[in-house]
Amino acid sequence: MKALWAGSGLGLALLSLSACAPQLQPQSVEVWEGTGRVLLREQSYRLTFSADPQSHQLAGTLENRSSGDRFQASGTLLPVAEGAELTAQITASSGARLSASVLGFGVSGVALKSDALLTGRVAGEVFKGSLRVNGVAYPLELRRVR
């Protein structure tokens, strides 16, 4: 009888400890598709990310479907009245790099793709914002796919 009583006490202790543990909410994956005009050319984009509902941190990828390039996206998705503000650093990561020299002068390890900053507002099923590349902001509009 004593062993049974000790076992049920342990079960109660574990049950009370699990009630104090933070509850993790599953992060859903969001997919947005649309177009933007960069350097006078219309480009097709797909933004795929998940956002932590507690910290509002987002992580994902931005794909330029016109060129086939993929970039890492990390930033925040902050709730505001009637939507959310999205700010993400777009990083070219480990793409092709240029190394060249002419008459002893040159460059080494220069990324061929530029990093960018994606900012804008989500209102319902539409994201309207801009993609800032090399200091120039280009308009971008995406629609939620799922």
Side-chain angles (χ1 to χ4, degrees):
M1 185 70 165
K2 189 173 186 181
L4 180 61
W5 177 254
S8 64
L10 179 62
L12 287 175
L14 288 176
L15 182 61
S16 65
L17 284 176
S18 67
C20 296
Q23 300 298 316
L24 299 176
Q25 296 179 2
Q27 296 180 10
S28 63
V29 174
E30 295 193 30
V31 178
W32 297 74
E33 293 180 349
T35 59
R37 186 165 295 280
V38 177
L39 296 175
L40 303 175
R41 294 181 54 201
E42 183 135 324
Q43 303 285 316
S44 176
Y45 290 98
R46 174 184 279 166
L47 176 63
T48 305
F49 67 88
S50 61
D52 184 309
Q54 300 297 320
S55 68
H56 306 292
Q57 295 294 312
L58 75 82
T61 60
L62 177 68
E63 179 184 356
N64 181 329
R65 300 180 81 193
S66 299
S67 68
D69 295 325
R70 293 176 67 98
F71 302 90
Q72 298 299 315
S74 62
T76 58
L77 183 65
L78 299 173
V80 295
E82 299 179 25
E85 287 286 331
L86 186 145
T87 303
Q89 183 65 39
I90 307 300
T91 308
S93 65
S94 60
R97 301 205 172 265
L98 172 67
S99 295
S101 67
V102 175
L103 301 174
F105 297 98
V107 295
S108 178
V110 176
L112 296 178
K113 300 293 179 182
S114 296
D115 292 350
L117 181 65
L118 178 64
T119 59
R121 182 174 283 254
V122 174
E125 302 293 310
V126 178
F127 168 81
K128 288 186 180 182
S130 66
L131 185 63
R132 182 175 294 277
V133 182
N134 295 327
V136 179
Y138 300 100
L140 187 71
E141 184 171 322
L142 307 173
R143 295 195 175 279
R144 187 187 318 256
V145 176
R146 57 180 154 133

